[in-house]
Amino acid sequence: MACRRRRAVLALSCALAWSFLPVSAGAVEIVSPKDGDIVPIGAEIVIQVQPSPGDDIDRAYLGQSEEHMKHNSQTGFFEQTIKLRGDSSGPIAIEVWSQNSKGIKSTARVTIHVNLPPVLPLISLRIHAEQRKMVLEGIGEKQDLQVIGEFSDGTVRFISRSVFGTTYQSRNEAVARVDDNGEVTAVGVGETTIVVRNGEKETQSKVVVRPKGEKKDT
């Protein structure tokens, strides 16, 4: 069966690293991207892997994926295309692991740096449609607001995190609180509004906190 190319989505908080694999030093190398490469936010990149001289890896995998990378007969590399999340920035670790004909596994890792785009005028600001009315079931329940910005160059990106200049305010913190990156936490039963701002643009989300187990409106 032909291998399907899958796109993996990397979040800033996901380092794609684990410790249970036995490691054989130098058996696999990441050809691209290089350690320390700088890439734009939301970029699509091709990860290329090759065996070290003298080794004969027959499988290469990205992170914790169970689907092996596709071998490109033209380049001689194992390859996989990934797309970075539109709200991820800063250092992101990419780790691959391989297995040779003797069943020995090895890992390789590089760290890329995701840069914020140039500052562009914000045309519109909105909250994901499903969150314009957010219902939290029970005290302590949390949910992340997904804030979307459209820019003057036509690009549309998630800009929920404070690094993008987005700010949040709850009109009643006795009902719900919101942190600097848009995580809403239910504090008490009732209703409130979360006001979201970025520059001169503003949008809102209505938050309803219900007792846990209460039936939803039909």
Side-chain angles (χ1 to χ4, degrees):
M1 182 175 63
C3 294
R4 296 180 303 169
R5 189 181 82 172
R6 287 188 177 179
R7 292 181 178 177
V9 178
L10 299 182
L12 178 61
S13 60
C14 180
L16 296 180
W18 68 104
S19 60
F20 61 84
L21 291 174
V23 176
S24 174
V28 62
E29 299 175 355
I30 298 177
V31 177
S32 178
K34 301 291 186 184
D35 192 50
D37 275 359
I38 298 174
V39 298
I41 195 167
E44 186 174 276
I45 60 177
V46 178
I47 299 175
Q48 296 179 314
V49 175
Q50 69 178 1
S52 298
D55 211 319
D56 62 343
I57 64 173
D58 56 7
R59 290 286 189 274
Y61 301 83
L62 175 64
Q64 298 181 15
S65 174
E66 296 181 355
E67 181 179 353
H68 62 79
M69 303 170 72
K70 184 177 180 180
H71 185 264
N72 187 328
S73 59
Q74 294 183 341
T75 64
F77 301 138
F78 295 93
E79 299 179 350
Q80 184 165 338
T81 300
I82 63 173
K83 183 173 178 59
L84 303 175
R85 279 183 49 157
D87 60 351
S88 297
S89 63
I92 293 180
I94 298 174
E95 185 161 348
V96 300
W97 66 279
S98 67
Q99 180 173 297
N100 65 14
S101 59
K102 297 179 181 179
I104 298 174
K105 297 177 181 178
S106 61
T107 63
R109 174 174 171 158
V110 298
T111 299
I112 60 174
H113 296 270
V114 181
N115 275 2
L116 294 174
V119 177
L120 296 170
L122 184 64
I123 302 301
S124 67
L125 183 73
R126 67 181 188 271
I127 294 171
H128 192 286
E130 295 180 357
Q131 294 184 321
R132 290 170 191 166
K133 180 179 179 181
M134 179 186 295
V135 178
L136 301 176
E137 303 288 344
I139 308 304
E141 184 179 354
K142 300 177 184 291
Q143 191 172 144
D144 291 321
L145 280 170
Q146 301 296 311
V147 180
I148 302 165
E150 181 179 356
F151 294 85
S152 59
D153 64 348
T155 59
V156 178
R157 295 192 294 270
F158 286 106
I159 55 172
S160 306
R161 297 174 56 227
S162 61
V163 69
F164 297 106
T166 303
T167 63
Y168 303 88
Q169 181 182 9
S170 171
R171 288 186 172 167
N172 188 348
E173 292 195 341
V175 173
R177 294 175 183 167
V178 59
D179 71 8
D180 292 343
N181 291 309
E183 183 183 69
V184 180
T185 302
V187 178
V189 174
E191 298 183 6
T192 188
T193 299
I194 303 295
V195 181
V196 183
R197 298 185 179 92
N198 190 297
E200 298 180 354
K201 304 299 181 182
E202 178 180 308
T203 188
Q204 298 180 357
S205 172
K206 181 180 179 181
V207 177
V208 178
V209 179
R210 293 174 171 157
K212 193 169 185 177
E214 179 179 288
K215 292 183 179 180
K216 295 184 180 180
D217 297 334
T218 57

